Amino acid sequence: MVLHKLTLRELQDKLTQGEVSAREIVHAYYLRISQVEPKIKAYITQAVDSARAQAEALDQKLKNWRRTMPLMGMPLAIKDNICTEGVLTTCASRMLGTFVPPYDATVIARLRGQGYLLLGKTNLDEFAMGSSTENSAFGPSRNPWNLGYVPGGSSGGSAAAVAADECVAALGSDTGGSIRQPAACCGVVGLKPTYGRVSRYGLVAFASSLDQIGPITKDVADAAVLLNVIAGHDPQDSTSADVSVPDYTRALKKKDVKKLKIGVPREYFAEGLDPEVEQAVRAALDQLNELGGEIIDVSLPMTGVAIATYYVIATAEASSNLARYDGVKYGLRSKQAKDLLEMYMKTRQEGFGPEVKRRIMLGTYTLSAGYYEAYYGKAQAVRTLIRRDFDAAFQEVDLIVTPVMPTPAFKLGEKIEDPLQMYLSDIYTISVNLAGIPAISLPCGFSKVGLPIGLQILGRPFQEETVLRAAYAYEQATNWRTRRPTIR
Ligand code: GLN
């Protein structure tokens, strides 16, 4: 039995039936990791000893305790910007290269409550700033479908780990597309929940008004299972919403999209969209139509200014959030400094990479006294208009369907020298964060050279159920998920 090929629900079944033990699961996964990780480099840290100890304890408990929980014994990978008590959490930055959090993020505490197994912490662009994992201080991850290509980012390590069967499922974080875009690049499923749906407590902040944690999984059903566990109000996060959480697996019953109106925003099918991607997404729309959905043209007129708006707001919030790394409280402290001020400056100079520094400078500039209204104030006003675009569209339709990325995954090194080109790869994902709505990315085809193409489904706030229903119906009607990468 090849355990690492199973989905989370399949693996859970085997554990519940007593066909495998948690110890065997851990063993199988680290064997798989030892085989492919030298090529993929999805992990920053492997938590081998603690995973074994967790598995032993769980097996002991299972001897006379038959209660099962969906995440019990499930081997997960966690993006390395989510705090795990006692396990290194680096944000792929030299600044936090030795940081071991004294507490768990709320999402981790919930997983732990179910008896999950933490296999390790996955690679990302430093502080989640980027679209390829090439901004990691510890080197890039690789795309399992073709090692010369990026796995996307910033949650590229998590997406690559799921695609390469180095974990059964993973968590990522999404500020402007960082769950959905790498999921699309790696041919897996990534869900960004509504802002406030999942607690951000213990997620190292990048841009607090945009950040959201979510699942990256092998299929849509697994995403629903994981969301069930991590969603819900948390008093420790003042932006977490006190909205009741449905059972998301209920969304998987219908297998059709009857009576649903599906909007296609014309601005998303314009110049710059790769023809292969357009073709795959249009074919998916036909499929959704066959499944009973009514396809309707909609307009999101502010689409063209979304990237500019995002890069003012995200960098402003980042510059403020990253002010805490001063060499005093945690992480790196420069050894070169003669006095306090020099210690601050040298620590930040040595600890942050070029992209993080670029964003701190941009954000500090747009927040400075003379420019605040012209840039930050203006961007906030435009953000409201972007949200209104979606409000208006969702008056007419239940869901919106778009590409995830203008092209399939690009080559390692292709965009790293040109930050603006890199920023443009998020054109279809960023507005979702500015509007705070939920969206899922799932495979809808392959390019001629064999790279996955992603389909994005957007929903109304807190309507993850409808998003999951449509994604599941589409997934079950097609067989993209059966294609798996051969790593060589
Ligand atoms: N690629 C975008 C950025 O660089 C989004 C990153 C993210 O979602 N964390 O900011």
Side-chain angles (χ1 to χ4, degrees):
M1 180 171 34
V2 190
L3 290 180
H4 63 254
K5 292 202 169 157
L6 303 179
T7 66
L8 193 151
R9 291 208 306 181
E10 289 165 350
L11 188 61
Q12 185 51 244
D13 261 4
K14 297 239 179 284
L15 186 75
T16 317
Q17 304 300 325
E19 287 174 43
V20 288
S21 65
R23 220 185 47 128
E24 285 165 331
I25 291 176
V26 166
H27 179 75
Y29 271 90
Y30 281 122
L31 185 64
R32 173 68 180 174
I33 290 171
S34 71
Q35 287 161 352
V36 298
E37 181 61 7
K39 291 181 181 155
I40 306 290
K41 301 196 186 319
Y43 285 97
I44 291 177
T45 303
Q46 294 177 31
V48 184
D49 292 338
S50 65
R52 289 209 175 111
Q54 283 170 345
E56 294 284 345
L58 185 61
D59 284 335
Q60 279 306 320
K61 223 191 229 173
L62 282 174
K63 278 189 185 148
N64 41 30
W65 185 71
R66 270 290 135 205
R67 195 174 143 225
T68 61
M69 291 182 282
L71 266 292
M72 190 179 72
M74 293 299 102
L76 301 197
I78 305 293
K79 188 179 184 180
D80 209 20
N81 61 350
I82 298 174
C83 286
T84 41
E85 184 181 342
V87 179
L88 207 58
T89 299
T90 69
C91 289
S93 179
R94 275 191 297 279
M95 188 61 91
L96 291 176
T98 57
F99 175 61
V100 178
Y103 69 105
D104 275 330
T106 296
V107 292
I108 300 298
R110 291 191 180 182
L111 294 172
R112 233 192 246 282
Q114 295 229 332
Y116 92 124
L117 306 169
L118 172 65
L119 289 178
K121 304 295 292 289
T122 52
N123 199 18
L124 63 150
D125 291 289
E126 185 174 3
F127 285 102
M129 298 176 187
S131 308
S132 67
T133 73
E134 291 167 294
N135 293 334
S136 166
F138 308 119
S141 303
R142 310 260 164 174
N143 191 315
W145 294 88
N146 186 324
L147 300 175
Y149 286 75
V150 302
S154 64
S155 314
S158 285
V162 173
D165 297 327
E166 294 186 74
C167 61
V168 78
L171 289 186
S173 70
D174 193 314
T175 306
S178 280
I179 289 175
R180 291 159 286 152
Q181 187 262 26
C185 287
C186 293
V188 294
V189 174
L191 172 66
K192 185 206 89 80
T194 309
Y195 185 76
R197 178 81 290 185
V198 175
S199 168
R200 291 184 298 109
Y201 179 75
L203 169 66
V204 178
F206 159 15
S208 314
S209 77
L210 302 160
D211 298 340
Q212 208 36 208
I213 296 173
I216 299 181
T217 53
K218 295 190 183 187
D219 66 12
V220 176
D222 284 2
V225 171
L226 210 46
L227 186 62
N228 269 351
V229 178
I230 61 171
H233 182 237
D234 175 16
Q236 309 239 59
D237 169 7
S238 61
T239 61
S240 116
D242 199 355
V243 176
S244 69
V245 182
D247 175 1
Y248 291 108
T249 59
R250 263 194 346 225
L252 314 174
K253 298 245 156 71
K254 289 210 175 98
K255 293 201 195 171
D256 67 45
V257 288
K258 281 188 192 129
K259 297 208 180 86
L260 290 184
K261 294 195 173 126
I262 297 173
V264 184
R266 62 184 79 104
E267 293 82 1
Y268 282 57
F269 292 82
E271 206 194 315
L273 177 59
D274 178 301
E276 282 188 303
V277 175
E278 171 158 12
Q279 208 181 12
V281 174
R282 294 225 184 258
L285 282 163
D286 289 344
Q287 184 77 49
L288 286 165
N289 185 227
E290 266 174 48
L291 289 163
E294 185 187 342
I295 311 292
I296 295 172
D297 262 340
V298 294
S299 174
L300 298 168
M302 300 303 287
T303 302
V305 292
I307 291 203
T309 308
Y310 170 86
Y311 276 97
V312 173
I313 292 174
T315 56
E317 292 186 22
S319 76
S320 150
N321 273 326
L322 271 57
R324 74 190 71 176
Y325 304 107
D326 56 6
V328 177
K329 304 180 199 72
Y330 28 50
L332 184 79
R333 174 177 299 173
S334 173
K335 295 195 176 63
Q336 315 298 326
K338 290 188 295 294
D339 56 36
L340 182 66
L341 189 63
E342 209 177 79
M343 196 261 294
Y344 290 155
M345 297 203 296
K346 291 232 153 94
T347 297
R348 290 170 70 80
Q349 190 180 5
E350 291 166 26
F352 292 136
E355 182 62 26
V356 175
K357 285 179 183 156
R358 175 156 43 237
R359 294 192 187 204
I360 291 174
M361 286 191 287
L362 273 169
T364 308
Y365 179 80
T366 59
L367 287 178
S368 57
Y371 299 104
Y372 186 95
E373 268 316 313
Y375 292 105
Y376 185 71
K378 183 69 99 198
Q380 289 291 21
V382 177
R383 181 178 188 173
T384 304
L385 298 179
I386 291 172
R387 196 175 296 146
R388 283 194 196 146
D389 270 5
F390 282 101
D391 288 346
F394 282 124
Q395 295 283 320
E396 288 175 55
V397 296
D398 303 289
L399 295 167
I400 293 175
V401 168
T402 76
V404 180
M405 231 180 127
T407 62
F410 43 90
K411 289 202 174 92
L412 275 151
E414 194 179 316
K415 299 193 180 187
I416 194 71
E417 300 300 335
D418 187 349
L420 277 180
Q421 273 304 315
M422 190 74 92
Y423 296 173
L424 283 175
S425 68
D426 300 316
I427 182 141
Y428 300 137
T429 48
I430 259 170
S431 303
V432 163
N433 300 73
L434 290 167
I437 59 177
I440 199 168
S441 161
L442 75 162
C444 72
F446 288 84
S447 72
K448 277 191 212 76
V449 298
L451 292 165
I453 296 173
L455 178 74
Q456 186 175 220
I457 307 176
L458 289 53
R460 296 190 183 109
F462 298 102
Q463 291 295 310
E464 283 85 0
E465 252 184 307
T466 319
V467 170
L468 285 162
R469 172 183 161 196
Y472 186 69
Y474 173 77
E475 180 193 68
Q476 294 304 304
T478 54
N479 56 12
W480 303 117
R481 71 190 178 292
T482 58
R483 250 167 94 170
R484 312 287 308 145
T486 14
I487 296 154
R488 51 168 175 250

